[in-house]
Amino acid sequence: MVNPRQVVRALVFALLLSLLSAASTSMAYGQFTLTVAKALSPSAIDPGGSSLATLNVAAVGSFDSPVSFDAVPCTVTPVQLAGTPQCAVSPASVTPPGQAFLTISTTGSTLPGLYTVSVTGTSGSVSQTVTLTLNVVNVTGNYTLSVSPTTATPSPVPAGSVATTVVTLTPIVDYQGQVTLACVSITPVVAAAPYCSFTATSGSTSLPADTVDVASGVPATATLTITTLGPYNAARLHNRPIFYALWLLVPGLGLVGVGATGARRKNLLGALLLLAVTGGLLLMPACGGPSSTNAPNGEITPNNTYTFTLTGADLNGAAPSNSTSSPATVTLAVN
């Protein structure tokens, strides 16, 4: 016959032994924490894009055992038939205190949606898990284009002159790419209309002048130059007022010469002749002078106020996100 007391003692002893074993395992392997030091960036990506997060592995007490991330360190839900986001952790093992870097990659077939990413670190038989969220979206034209000032300066300008303004491209959702700028339209449509050119003032210098390198989170700029067609003087009359003052001396000396006689008159007439020749040479550049033109066929931009609509396209053909709702425009008056 079995003694009930002996059975109870045996059960209590087994329970105590199990608790001591669990505590021993926890002390040996479970003294670490796994947390997210930096969330996924960017938090929203295109299909085919990738995102990076930083994980922090910290010790509890004197724990110094390595924490490893398996060959498949995370799980992603929901699971797709094709294109489920994949993850990798580097380094594969971290001894606390330390950090590991999580990379989430997608493909062009990854469906847009919100994905939950669970990452597990293991030390012995104990593991810790953290959860992150990734948003996969179809982003087209994820940058904006603006102009300041919206009237090119100087304005108005005579035909044959140029005016400038500044174009700014601002990334959205950590967008980065190379954007080629253009003036997509001009109104009114006339013969010999002004034309646009762009010169990037930030980003890579190895790109074409009209291509701006937009870095993640950093606005990029370019100078827009509007050129009008027509002649322009190589020398300006208004820049030489002193010559007009000198020329007034000629009739004054002539009056003095009229009142003189003999040798004195000859000397004055000689001085007058010398002054006249010198004054004529000095005034030659001011009397119209040579002129140039930036219109080889003689076209002249008509007087009017012109409005230009600007756009851009990156390597994927994406236009600015405000190209339809609020397109960037700039005006210039020609008189």
Side-chain angles (χ1 to χ4, degrees):
M1 182 174 179
V2 179
N3 189 335
R5 292 185 179 181
Q6 291 179 342
V7 173
V8 171
R9 288 194 189 101
L11 291 174
V12 171
F13 180 77
L15 179 60
L16 291 174
L17 195 63
S18 176
L19 291 174
L20 287 173
S21 177
S24 176
T25 301
S26 177
M27 291 293 291
Y29 302 110
Q31 299 177 352
F32 75 93
T33 59
L34 179 64
T35 57
V36 178
K38 183 179 179 182
L40 285 169
S41 178
S43 59
I45 59 175
D46 275 326
S50 61
S51 186
L52 178 68
T54 303
L55 306 178
N56 192 54
V57 181
V60 177
S62 59
F63 178 84
D64 60 358
S65 298
V67 175
S68 64
F69 300 93
D70 297 332
V72 183
C74 65
T75 57
V76 179
T77 56
V79 176
Q80 307 291 341
L81 293 177
T84 299
Q86 302 295 311
C87 65
V89 178
S90 178
S93 179
V94 177
T95 299
Q99 289 186 329
F101 300 96
L102 168 68
T103 302
I104 306 293
S105 302
T106 62
T107 67
S109 59
T110 300
L111 296 177
L114 200 62
Y115 292 84
T116 299
V117 181
S118 298
V119 185
T120 300
T122 303
S123 181
S125 62
V126 177
S127 61
Q128 299 285 343
T129 301
V130 292
T131 301
L132 305 93
T133 301
L134 176 69
N135 191 17
V136 178
V137 293
N138 283 320
V139 179
T140 57
N142 49 350
Y143 63 94
T144 61
L145 191 155
S146 59
V147 182
S148 181
T150 54
T151 299
T153 57
S155 183
V157 296
S161 300
V162 300
T164 62
T165 189
V166 177
V167 179
T168 300
L169 294 100
T170 304
I172 300 175
V173 194
D174 295 323
Y175 170 87
Q176 52 186 341
Q178 298 171 2
V179 179
T180 300
L181 300 170
C183 286
V184 67
S185 66
I186 176 176
T187 55
V189 177
V190 297
Y195 62 90
C196 299
S197 60
F198 298 87
T199 303
T201 53
S202 64
S204 174
T205 58
S206 61
L207 299 174
D210 61 352
T211 301
V212 180
D213 192 8
V214 183
S216 177
V218 180
T221 57
T223 298
L224 165 62
T225 300
I226 301 176
T227 303
T228 62
L229 303 180
Y232 59 91
N233 287 332
R236 302 290 185 182
L237 290 175
H238 61 268
N239 290 333
R240 303 185 181 272
I242 188 172
F243 294 136
Y244 292 105
L246 290 174
W247 188 249
L248 292 177
L249 292 176
V250 175
L253 290 176
L255 292 176
V256 173
V258 171
T261 58
R264 186 178 179 184
R265 169 180 277 183
K266 291 180 180 180
N267 291 337
L268 287 173
L269 288 176
L272 176 61
L273 179 60
L274 178 61
L275 181 61
V277 172
T278 304
L281 292 174
L282 291 174
L283 284 171
M284 283 181 64
C287 295
S291 64
S292 300
T293 180
N294 57 8
N297 297 323
E299 307 97 331
I300 297 178
T301 298
N303 294 346
N304 216 321
T305 297
Y306 297 90
T307 300
F308 301 81
T309 301
L310 279 56
T311 191
D314 65 8
L315 297 179
N316 296 318
S321 61
N322 60 328
S323 60
T324 55
S325 60
S326 181
T329 61
V330 60
T331 60
L332 175 66
V334 178
N335 63 6

